[in-house]
């Protein structure tokens, strides 16, 4: 287990808990994508811009993305060239969620988050929100 990669993940998770939008903006690579998949095989792809808009909206409304990261378990890390992967598990609202995060390494340190692969039970609500945003309906 690469402890420096796990430490970088903890920085990222804590920035999210603190709703530190400026730190998150630096942590997400300009080409960041979150690929979400559910048990039915539905897929949603979110960009950095979509993530940052959501974080800003939540922060401006005084909301947070979570209370703590006590349930987070880091299952594995791997390195491949100038990238590193972290496999993470957590339980949200009683439902287990699995993640794969891909980080960029530059000059020996983990710099930006390139990809987040999220495996959830059902992303139908997210797909409805995305469709509404595309069509401009509520």
């Amino acid at each position: 287990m690469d402890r420096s990669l796990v430490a970088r993940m903890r920085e990222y998770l804590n920035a999210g808990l603190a709703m530190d939008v400026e730190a998150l903006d630096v942590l997400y690579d300009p080409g960041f994508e979150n690929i979400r998949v559910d048990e039915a095989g539905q897929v949603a792809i979110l960009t950095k811009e979509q993530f940052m808009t959501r974080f800003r909206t939540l922060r401006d409304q005084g909301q947070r993305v979570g209370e703590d990261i006590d349930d987070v378990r880091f299952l594995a890390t791997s390195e491949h060239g100038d990238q590193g992967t972290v496999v993470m598990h957590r339980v949200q609202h009683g439902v287990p969620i699995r993640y794969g995060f891909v980080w960029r390494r530059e000059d020996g340190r983990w710099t930006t988050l390139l990809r987040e692969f999220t495996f959830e039970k059902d992303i139908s609500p997210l797909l409805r929100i995305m469709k509404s945003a595309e069509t401009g309906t509520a």
Side-chain angles (χ1 to χ4, degrees):
M1 186 84 65
D2 183 323
R3 295 292 168 203
S4 66
L5 195 48
V6 169
R8 190 66 165 152
M9 274 300 306
R10 288 193 183 283
E11 288 177 43
Y12 164 69
L13 294 170
N14 284 319
L17 280 180
M19 297 305 289
D20 187 341
V21 175
E22 292 73 22
L24 290 169
D25 193 37
V26 171
L27 287 167
Y28 287 121
D29 194 81
F32 170 81
E33 288 183 330
N34 173 228
I35 297 92
R36 293 183 181 216
V37 180
D38 70 10
E39 291 179 1
Q42 299 181 100
V43 177
I45 299 174
L46 301 162
T47 65
K48 175 182 179 174
E49 180 181 330
Q50 290 168 310
F51 256 54
M52 295 310 301
T53 296
R54 179 75 174 138
F55 276 116
R56 285 185 186 95
T57 299
L58 289 171
R59 180 195 61 191
D60 294 348
Q61 293 173 348
Q63 296 182 41
R64 299 176 53 148
V65 293
E67 297 300 317
D68 59 54
I69 57 172
D70 295 343
D71 65 329
V72 168
R73 288 186 302 147
F74 298 104
L75 305 177
T77 62
S78 66
E79 297 180 38
H80 28 97
D82 64 349
Q83 296 180 358
T85 301
V86 177
V87 178
M88 187 181 90
H89 176 274
R90 75 182 313 176
V91 177
Q92 290 180 326
H93 310 292
V95 179
I97 302 175
R98 289 154 261 356
Y99 303 85
F101 294 91
V102 180
W103 287 87
R104 179 187 314 274
R105 181 173 40 203
E106 294 177 308
D107 300 322
R109 63 180 286 273
W110 302 110
T111 56
T112 57
L113 187 55
L114 297 167
R115 296 285 181 276
E116 175 183 339
F117 297 92
T118 310
F119 304 92
E120 300 181 51
K121 184 162 186 63
D122 182 16
I123 62 169
S124 296
L126 172 63
L127 292 171
R128 282 193 293 277
I129 291 168
M130 292 175 71
K131 186 165 180 75
S132 292
E134 287 174 14
T135 62
T137 60

